[in-house]
Amino acid sequence: DLHLFLDSGEPFGEVVALALAPVRIAALHGETGGRGIFHRLEWEDVPLAAGSPRAPGGRWFVLPGGQRVAEALRAGGCEVATALDPPLTGIVDASGLESAVPAEGLEAALRLHDAVGKIARGSWRDVPRLWVVGGDPAASPAGAIVRGLARVVAHEHPEFRPTVVELAGAPVAALVEELAAGAREDLVRLEPGRRRVGRLETWQPSAEEFRPRPDGTWLVTGGLGALGRRAAAWLVERGARHVALLGR
């Protein structure tokens, strides 16, 4: 058995009947040849269901940085709360539409963290749904920080049912319709006249050996650990010339 302790020496977990055994990578692939192991994000056109409400109604809390969304909600007849107290229909973090630099994204993530923590520690009868709104994460590092936190919330506090919405050229009115519909998707991309949802699809990499572009920078998260250093060396051996290692 495996016993887990905090730094203070206080026990906090136990793994019963743990068994370890060496495994060959080829054995993991089995008869499938590795098919079904790899996945990538694909976008699928999924319009809102016919008859979906166009105005969300209810009482909403919009975190700082989401002025445009707050104004659109008010214009749609919603109440925008000034305090984080029940009851709430939903919480919207739209800082990704306004923040331009990573430092602003970090501040927004801390505010979202505090808001989620306050509700999670409270005695709310109905936990409001969390909506994180931003633009293209590849072009907005600040928005990507908050988006990443939303993914953590989805695993640690699924009662918030977080959804990430990418506003890619669509007006804020399209976002308000998305909030009103309350669809179950957790990743939505709104383009002019088009609604797409993110799906993880199985993917088979090319049989050709991977060669990293030498003119770019390759970021290895957890790069200071044993596996991270191995990954960095593997990239350099195959032609990478700029590798950034990120660790705690």
Side-chain angles (χ1 to χ4, degrees), residues 43 68 96-97 133-137 139 147 164-172 174-175 188-196:
W43 294 96
R68 283 193 291 161
L97 296 176
V133 185
D136 182 356
R147 174 178 173 150
V164 173
V165 181
E166 294 182 11
L167 208 58
V172 176
L175 169 64
V188 179
R189 183 177 176 88
L190 300 178
E191 301 173 1
R194 187 181 188 187
R195 177 182 185 269
R196 298 198 290 168

Side-chain angles (χ1 to χ4, degrees), residues 98-188:
E98 310 291 342
S99 302
V101 296
E104 294 175 348
L106 180 58
E107 293 174 0
L110 291 174
R111 288 193 295 265
L112 177 58
H113 173 274
D114 291 344
V116 168
K118 179 179 179 180
I119 295 175
R121 292 189 300 269
S123 56
W124 291 51
R125 187 184 68 178
D126 299 311
V127 175
R129 186 170 178 179
L130 172 62
W131 301 82
V132 172
V133 185
D136 182 356
S140 174
I145 295 173
V146 181
R147 174 178 173 150
L149 179 57
R151 292 301 190 195
V152 175
V153 173
H155 290 284
E156 298 191 358
H157 293 285
E159 66 273 17
F160 284 89
R161 298 156 291 150
T163 291
V164 173
V165 181
E166 294 182 11
L167 208 58
V172 176
L175 169 64
V176 173
E177 291 184 2
E178 186 71 35
L179 300 180
R184 296 180 61 182
E185 285 88 1
D186 60 0
L187 179 58
V188 179

Side-chain angles (χ1 to χ4, degrees), residues 59 61 63 81-86 88 91 114-116 118-119 124 128:
R59 183 172 181 263
F61 183 80
L63 286 155
T82 57
L84 191 62
D85 52 20
L88 286 176
I91 302 173
D114 291 344
V116 168
K118 179 179 179 180
I119 295 175
W124 291 51

Side-chain angles (χ1 to χ4, degrees), residues 176-238:
V176 173
E177 291 184 2
E178 186 71 35
L179 300 180
R184 296 180 61 182
E185 285 88 1
D186 60 0
L187 179 58
V188 179
R189 183 177 176 88
L190 300 178
E191 301 173 1
R194 187 181 188 187
R195 177 182 185 269
R196 298 198 290 168
V197 300
R199 297 277 192 262
L200 278 180
E201 303 287 349
T202 56
W203 170 64
Q204 187 65 21
S206 170
E208 298 179 4
E209 184 178 359
F210 171 74
R211 290 290 176 184
R213 288 178 48 180
D215 58 339
T217 299
W218 297 84
L219 174 65
V220 181
T221 58
L224 301 182
L227 184 58
R229 295 196 300 271
R230 286 284 298 275
W234 184 85
L235 286 167
V236 172
E237 291 168 359
R238 282 157 180 76

